[in-house]
Amino acid sequence: MARNSLGREIPDTFAGKKLVPYTDPWSLQPHAERSTRAIRRLTHNGSKLVGGLREAVIASGLKDGMTISTHHSLRNGDALLNDLVREIDALGIRDIKIASSSIHVVHAELIPFIRKGTISGLECGVNGPIGELISKGELDCPIVVRSHGGRARALICGEVPVDVAFLAAPCCDEYGNFNGYYGPSACGSLGYAQVDAQHAHKVVAVTDNLVPFPAVPIGIPQTVVDFVAQVPSLGDPKKIVSSTTRITTDPIGLQIAKYAAMVIRASGYVKDGFSFQTGTGGISLAVAEHVRDMMRKDKVKGSFGCGGITGYFVDMLEEGLFEALFDVQCFDLKAVESIGRNRKHQEMTAGTYANPFNCGSVVDRLDCAILSATEIDVDFNVNVNTESMGYLLHNTGGHCDVAAGAKLSIVVAPSIRGRLPIVRDAVTTITTPGETVGVVVTERGIAVNDRLPELKAELIRMRAPVKDIRQLRDEVYAITGVPRPIEFDDKVVGLIEYRDGSIIDVVRQVRR
Amino acid sequence: MARNSLGREIPDTFAGKKLVPYTDPWSLQPHAERSTRAIRRLTHNGSKLVGGLREAVIASGLKDGMTISTHHSLRNGDALLNDLVREIDALGIRDIKIASSSIHVVHAELIPFIRKGTISGLECGVNGPIGELISKGELDCPIVVRSHGGRARALICGEVPVDVAFLAAPCCDEYGNFNGYYGPSACGSLGYAQVDAQHAHKVVAVTDNLVPFPAVPIGIPQTVVDFVAQVPSLGDPKKIVSSTTRITTDPIGLQIAKYAAMVIRASGYVKDGFSFQTGTGGISLAVAEHVRDMMRKDKVKGSFGCGGITGYFVDMLEEGLFEALFDVQCFDLKAVESIGRNRKHQEMTAGTYANPFNCGSVVDRLDCAILSATEIDVDFNVNVNTESMGYLLHNTGGHCDVAAGAKLSIVVAPSIRGRLPIVRDAVTTITTPGETVGVVVTERGIAVNDRLPELKAELIRMRAPVKDIRQLRDEVYAITGVPRPIEFDDKVVGLIEYRDGSIIDVVRQVRR
C-alpha cells in the first residue's frame, strides 16, 4: 500500500498486476514499444465471411482466459456485446476479460455471465448497474476504469493485449473494409474502433449491412480484418444516437452557462485560431451557444471543434466559425450525416484524440474545454466516476484527457444536486487532478485555480462573481450541511487509472 | 549458391544478409510480428518545428550506418532526397542506406555521395543511371530491388528497419498533420509515405507549404510525426506529375491494345463488379479506352479501378463506370484534384495496395490488369528491371504484385523493340514469374498461358490471333535473329526480391 501524490491509498497490486501510483499529469514517460501482432497471410482470394457471430468466435480462436473488445459508438443502442457474450457462453468459453471502449446501461444483460464466470474481468469502465453491483460486493469482477486516451495508450503500449476485437461495422464489404457512415446502424466516426483494429491480435468485423466491395470511404481497411461476420442487427438505431443533446432550459443551468461564457471571454482565447470542446450536456451546449455568439460578433475564424461531435458543432463548421472538426464519436444524426460528407469534419482515432503517449494528441491543441463534474473538491480535483452512495456508476470518458490537454479547462456544475453538496472538502473518487482544472463554474460563482492569476484578475475586472473555492464550499455546506462520509470496506473493487497508466484512485467496496 | 525454382542461381548471402530462394508465388508464410517503434511522449504543448533540413537531420539523431527513406510521389520532380543527402554529407554522417519507395533519374545527383561513402547501400530499386553504373561495376553499392508490395512488406515485417523517414508533405501543419492534396508540390495520394509514417523509428515531415492547424483532410496524422521541417521547395511542380499519360498513336501499339481488349472481352470479367488496373503507358491507356467503350455499351457497373491513377480513371469514376478508385499514387493533375475532392477516389497505402503478407491486399481483388514488359520468355516470365545491355535501369513498381493478385494479368508489349526480340527463350532478369502471367499480347498475336485453357478456347472461337508463345518467339527470331547472350561476371551487384521476400533473381555485373 502506498499513498499517491494526491493522498489516495493505492495497493501494490490489483488482480495480479503491479500498480504505479499517480504522481503528476506530465512526468511519467513511456518505456514501451508500440504493441504488435503476428503477421498473417490471407490465402490468395480467400474468403473472410464466416457466417454469424458464433462462427466468428470459433474462427477467431477465442479461448478461456482471453481478452475481447468492442467499441461503444453505438452506445446504449449496442446489441453486439450482449449477443457476443451469449455466444461465448454457449460455446463453453470461460474467464473472458472485456476491454471494450465503454460499457453502457444496456449491457446490464452481462450480469448473469459475470456471475457464472464467463466474464471474469473488466478492463474498461462501465456506465450503469454493473458498477453498482461491483461496488456493493454483489458481483466479483475486477474493474479498471480508463479514460479514452488512457485506453488507447493501454492498447497501443500493449499493456492491455486484446486477443480478439469484435467491431461493429455499420457499412462493410465481404473483405472487411468498413466505415460508420451508412446503413441502419450508422454511427459516424469509428474513432474508438480504430485503435482495436490496429492493435488487437485478431479482428472481426461484424455487420448488419454487407455492401458490395469496396465499402468506400474506408475507415478501417481490409488489411487488418481477419473475419467478417453477419448479424441481423447491430443494435437499436433509435438508441444509437443519443437525443439528450438539447440546450438546457433550467435557470440554474443557464446561469452557469452564462458565467462559463464570461470565463471564456476573459481568457482571451476567442480570437482567430480558437479551438474548443464541449460535451453533450444541456449546460455545455448552452455555453457553446454563447461561444457561437461571441465568435459571430467578433468575426472570429476558429481553428477546430473537438470531441464527441453534435449537430451544434456541425452548424458552426458550416457557418465557417471553425476550420475543421475533430470527431472521435458522433453524438447525433446530424453529425453522422456530416462526417460522411464533409472532409473538414475529420474522423480521428481515440489515440489521436487523447493518448498521452504519442507525438502529441489533439486535446493538447485545445484552447478551452467545458467539462462536467459529479463532485469537485477544494483542490479542484474532480470526480465523475462515483455517485453519492459511493457506487461506481460512470466511465471517465475523455474527462482527464481534455483537462490535461486544454489550455483552459472549465468545469461546470450546479453547486448542489439533490440536496448534496457538489463543491466539497474532498471528492469520493478523484477522476481528474485539480492541477489540470483551470476554473470551476457554479451558479453561485466562479472559482479560479491559483495557477491562473491573470484570468482571475481579468474576471474581477469584468465584475464576474469570482469566489475562492473554499468560500463556495462554505456557502454550499451552509445549505446542505457537511456531507456524511460514505463508509467503505478496505476491499478494492476497481481502479481509476489516470491517462498515463498510473493509479489516481481506487474504488472500494461500500460498507453495508 | 542455390538454384531457385526458376533455375536462377542465388547466392547464400548478399551484403551480409541470408537469402531465401524463390519457390512459388503463394506458399511462403510470414513468421514475423508487425514491426514496432519506441513510444515517445511529446512534452505538453511541445513544438515540432525544427527549422530546415539540416536541423531536422540533427534532431532526428541520424548516425553513421543508419537507414533513411523518402517517398517517390513527387517522382522526377523530387528535390528532397538530393537535398537531404547533401545535408547528411555536410554533417559528416557516413554509411547511410537509402530505403526510399523508389529512386528516379533526378537522383543521379546522389552518385558522388555513393562514391565517397555517404551512401553505402540501396534498399530500393532505382530508375536511371545509378543502376547502370552499379551494373557496370563503376559504383560499389549493394542494391535490393523490391516491388511496391514487397517494400511495404519489408517495412511492416521489420525486415528493413527505417531509422528516419523524411517525408515530403505538400500540405502540412506545425504539428505534423499532412496530406498530399494541396500546395505547390501537391502530389495527391501519399500511399507510399503512409507505410514509412507508421513503421519508421522517427518521422520527419518536410514541407514547403506550412498551413494553419489542422491540415485537413489528414492523410498522415500528427501522432506519428516527430519533427516538422520547412524547406523552400520540395521539388519542381512541372515534373511532379508525369505528362506522358496519353493514348498511343503508334499503329503497333494500337493493334496491341485492340488485341488486349479482345482478351478482356473473352475473359468474361467485364460485367457488374468488374475491377481493372492499367499503368500509364500509351498502350495501357488505349486498352482502357476500349474497356470504357465495352463498359458503356454493356451498361456495366464496375467495382473499382486501381493503381497509379490517371485522369482517365477519374473520368470513368465520374461517369459511374466504377464505384470507386483505389489510388496509391496520382499520375496526373486531374487525379490530384479528384482525390482531394471525391471520397470514392480512395487513397490507399502501399501495404493495402499490394503487401502479400496481410489480411488481403487490393491487388488480390483485381479481375484484369494490363502490365508492360521489357522482355518475356517462353515460360511467360517477365523482365522489367534490366535492359538490352544487361544494365539495371528500372524499378519493379507493382508489376509482380499485380500479376500475382489479378485473376487475369495481361502483359502487353511489341514483339520487337529497336531490333531486339522482346519475346525470347529466356529473359535477362526475372521480375515476375510466368505462373502469375495469364496472357501475353503482341502485335503479332496473343499467347495464352496453359493454365487458362477456357480463355484460350474462347479467344479461338472469337477468331483472335492466338499463337503458342514459342511460335511467337520463332516469328520474332526469324526477323531479329537469335539474341546474343549478354556476358556477365559472377559478381552479384543487386537482388531482385520477389514480393514475399524470397529472391527471384539477381543482377550480375556486366562483363566489359
Side-chain angles (χ1 to χ4, degrees), chain A residues 25 28 32 34 36-37 39 41 44-45 48 174 198 213 218 222 303 339 343 346 359-360 364-365, chain B residues 25 28 32 34 36-37 39 41 45 48 174 198 213 218 222 303 339 343 346 359-360 364-365 405:
Chain A
L28 200 63
R34 188 162 53 187
T36 180
R37 59 185 276 192
I39 287 173
R41 178 178 198 173
H44 186 231
N45 275 317
K48 298 186 186 180
E174 58 169 15
Q198 290 300 328
F213 183 93
I218 294 169
Q222 60 186 43
S303 172
I339 198 172
R343 293 183 88 167
Q346 174 76 48
C359 296
D364 290 340
R365 302 287 305 193
Chain B
L28 200 65
R34 188 161 54 187
T36 180
R37 58 185 275 192
I39 286 173
R41 178 177 199 175
N45 276 317
K48 298 186 186 179
E174 59 169 15
Q198 291 301 327
F213 183 93
I218 294 169
Q222 62 186 44
S303 172
I339 199 171
R343 292 182 88 168
Q346 175 76 49
C359 296
D364 290 341
R365 303 286 306 190

Side-chain angles (χ1 to χ4, degrees), chain B residues 210-469:
Chain B
L210 199 70
V211 301
F213 183 93
V216 283
I218 294 169
I220 290 177
Q222 62 186 44
T223 48
V224 297
V225 175
D226 295 275
F227 305 105
V228 177
Q230 280 183 277
V231 293
S233 169
L234 287 171
D236 179 351
K238 288 192 298 296
K239 293 179 188 156
I240 283 171
V241 171
S242 162
S243 60
T244 59
T245 53
R246 300 247 172 79
I247 292 177
T248 185
T249 52
D250 168 52
I252 289 178
L254 290 171
Q255 182 68 274
I256 294 169
K258 203 178 131 194
Y259 289 162
M262 289 181 87
V263 174
I264 293 173
R265 163 66 79 194
S267 74
Y269 287 123
V270 184
K271 59 188 181 199
D272 286 352
F274 177 59
S275 55
F276 184 50
Q277 170 161 353
T278 66
T280 55
I283 300 177
S284 298
L285 291 178
V287 181
E289 175 105 318
H290 284 292
V291 167
R292 175 157 69 169
D293 289 344
M294 271 184 239
M295 293 178 79
R296 277 179 182 157
K297 197 167 144 251
D298 296 357
K299 296 195 176 20
V300 167
K301 176 78 181 170
S303 172
F304 68 91
C306 178
I309 294 293
T310 60
Y312 227 87
F313 268 38
V314 171
D315 287 340
M316 291 174 81
L317 175 69
E318 293 184 355
E319 201 181 323
L321 296 176
F322 290 120
E323 183 57 36
L325 299 181
F326 278 108
D327 189 343
V328 71
Q329 177 177 20
C330 294
F331 276 128
D332 60 24
L333 287 174
K334 192 164 183 174
V336 172
E337 188 275 331
S338 164
I339 199 171
R341 169 180 54 79
N342 186 345
R343 292 182 88 168
K344 294 190 162 189
H345 186 155
Q346 175 76 49
E347 190 164 341
M348 69 175 164
T349 75
T352 300
Y353 174 42
N355 174 11
F357 285 5
N358 63 23
C359 296
S361 55
V362 169
V363 294
D364 290 341
R365 303 286 306 190
L366 276 170
D367 289 331
C368 296
I370 305 296
L371 295 165
S372 62
T374 307
E375 297 171 340
I376 304 149
D377 75 17
V378 291
D379 295 319
F380 290 80
N381 297 311
V382 178
N383 169 25
V384 300
N385 298 122
T386 51
E387 289 210 343
S388 56
M389 306 285 283
Y391 303 146
L392 177 62
L393 289 179
H394 296 286
N395 222 332
T396 297
H399 200 283
C400 63
D401 301 311
V402 171
K407 292 194 187 74
L408 177 60
S409 358
I410 302 165
V411 170
V412 294
S415 63
I416 299 171
R417 241 191 229 116
R419 299 191 203 157
L420 291 166
I422 302 307
V423 182
R424 43 167 63 210
D425 274 319
V427 291
T428 309
T429 303
I430 302 179
T431 308
T432 293
E435 190 180 340
T436 62
V437 172
V439 180
V440 169
V441 178
T442 72
E443 80 286 3
R444 274 169 214 283
I446 300 167
V448 183
N449 195 316
D450 284 344
R451 66 184 178 84
L452 299 172
E454 288 169 23
L455 176 62
K456 188 172 180 176
E458 178 62 19
L459 280 165
I460 290 167
R461 204 193 58 73
M462 287 166 69
R463 299 171 190 276
V466 175
K467 291 179 181 170
D468 188 274
I469 195 158

Side-chain angles (χ1 to χ4, degrees), chain A residues 173-236:
Chain A
D173 66 42
E174 58 169 15
Y175 226 48
N177 298 293
F178 65 99
N179 66 57
Y181 305 152
Y182 317 117
S185 306
C187 58
S189 175
L190 290 172
Y192 301 111
Q194 297 271 9
V195 178
D196 304 57
Q198 290 300 328
H199 294 277
H201 297 154
K202 287 270 169 66
V203 175
V204 181
V206 185
T207 191
D208 57 2
N209 180 35
L210 199 69
V211 301
F213 183 93
V216 283
I218 294 169
I220 289 177
Q222 60 186 43
T223 48
V224 297
V225 175
D226 296 275
F227 306 105
V228 177
Q230 280 183 278
V231 294
S233 170
L234 287 171
D236 180 350

Side-chain angles (χ1 to χ4, degrees), chain B residues 1-2 4 8-22 98 121-126 131 134-135 141-147 150-151 153-154 159-160 383-386 390-397 400 428-432 490-509:
Chain B
M1 197 72 85
N4 71 17
R8 300 290 163 141
E9 284 199 345
I10 310 296
D12 300 328
T13 61
F14 180 76
K17 224 175 337 196
K18 214 171 163 302
L19 305 183
V20 176
Y22 168 85
I98 296 179
L122 294 169
E123 288 279 352
C124 59
V126 292
I134 291 171
S135 288
C141 185
I143 181 165
V144 182
V145 179
R146 295 187 171 87
S147 68
R151 177 183 187 268
R153 181 199 51 72
E159 196 178 299
V160 174
N383 169 25
V384 300
N385 298 122
T386 51
Y391 303 146
L392 177 62
L393 289 179
H394 296 286
N395 222 332
T396 297
C400 63
T428 309
T429 303
I430 302 179
T431 308
T432 293
D490 284 342
K491 187 181 176 189
V492 173
V493 295
L495 298 181
I496 308 296
E497 198 182 90
Y498 192 58
R499 61 198 300 252
D500 63 5
S502 66
I503 307 304
I504 195 162
D505 210 342
V506 297
V507 179
R508 290 193 160 78
Q509 193 170 307

Side-chain angles (χ1 to χ4, degrees), chain A residues 261-269 294 408 454-455 458-459 462:
Chain A
M262 289 180 86
V263 174
I264 292 173
R265 163 66 79 193
S267 75
Y269 288 124
M294 270 183 240
L408 177 61
E454 288 169 21
L455 176 62
E458 178 63 19
L459 280 164
M462 287 166 67

Side-chain angles (χ1 to χ4, degrees), chain A residues 446-478:
Chain A
I446 299 166
V448 183
N449 194 315
D450 283 344
R451 66 182 179 85
L452 298 174
E454 288 169 21
L455 176 62
K456 188 171 179 177
E458 178 63 19
L459 280 164
I460 290 168
R461 206 194 54 76
M462 287 166 67
R463 296 170 192 277
V466 175
K467 290 178 181 171
D468 188 274
I469 196 158
R470 286 170 180 78
Q471 183 189 343
L472 269 181
R473 172 206 55 194
D474 291 342
E475 287 182 27
V476 171
Y477 279 8

